[in-house]
Amino acid sequence: MNVLWRTLLVLFRARLRLRREGALDPNTVARMRIRVLPTDIDLLRHMNNGRYLSLFDLGRWDLLTRTGLLRAMTAQRWYAVVAAETITFRRSLELGQRFVLETRLIGHDDRAVYLEHRALVGDEIYARAVIRARILRRSGGTVPHDELFAAVGRPEGLPDIEQWVHDWAEGSALPSTRRPAPSVWG
């Protein structure tokens, strides 16, 4: 994990806010301020494209913790893994620049939950990512959504996932781990 210290700080602050302010509604757009550090930039002196996704992880930790979902998942011995992600860049973030990371749960299908992240300067979107995550058991296997929602509650009022997100998830999927996936170009 290349942002370990930042992650630990986010978890600490999110737990404090959860105790002080109570649990967030899972439909809430969670916001946090981030500054572009020297370790975030590449040779072109702007934030490295891969670093965006690492920093967006911070938004997921914050949202999961502040909604109480992380606590419920930990009690059940479940964890989330990113199954797919796509990001679109609009403008570059520069060294020392502050931005706001927005994170929200945008819905689910029969196998995954979907989140959206946005990097904003002022009210302008600089980058946006959509994440497809699966909830797994430490003992093995995927957690069915009826079991997930029974344990953590189904957020009411989740918007429908846009069709392009369904198409992207289907088009970018790899075969199950139970089936072969040879690397054949052509």
Side-chain angles (χ1 to χ4, degrees), residues 83-84 111 132 134 168-183:
R111 298 201 48 159
R132 180 175 185 261
R134 295 188 51 209
W168 160 75
E170 184 180 323
S172 64
L174 290 171
S176 158
T177 56
R178 295 181 194 108
R179 295 190 342 227
S183 177

Side-chain angles (χ1 to χ4, degrees), residues 16-98:
L16 283 178
R17 289 184 73 183
L18 177 62
R19 277 190 226 127
R20 244 189 350 245
E21 301 166 13
L24 286 179
D25 181 307
N27 291 309
T28 300
V29 175
R31 291 176 177 85
M32 58 190 302
R33 293 174 195 250
I34 299 177
R35 181 185 294 272
V36 179
L37 299 178
T39 54
D40 299 329
I41 62 170
D42 59 21
L43 293 175
L44 300 175
R45 299 187 320 264
H46 62 209
M47 191 152 78
N48 178 276
N49 61 305
R51 184 61 83 172
Y52 283 85
L53 295 172
S54 294
L55 294 179
F56 288 174
D57 279 344
L58 301 176
R60 286 195 298 283
W61 283 115
D62 178 65
L63 182 68
L64 284 173
T65 302
R66 292 176 54 212
T67 57
L69 294 172
L70 183 62
R71 183 178 13 191
M73 290 171 56
T74 302
Q76 296 291 330
R77 297 187 34 82
W78 300 337
Y79 63 102
V81 294
V82 171
E85 53 194 353
T86 186
I87 187 166
T88 303
F89 303 99
R90 189 169 163 268
R91 296 185 77 171
S92 294
L93 289 167
E94 307 293 331
L95 177 63
Q97 190 169 19
R98 289 179 185 257

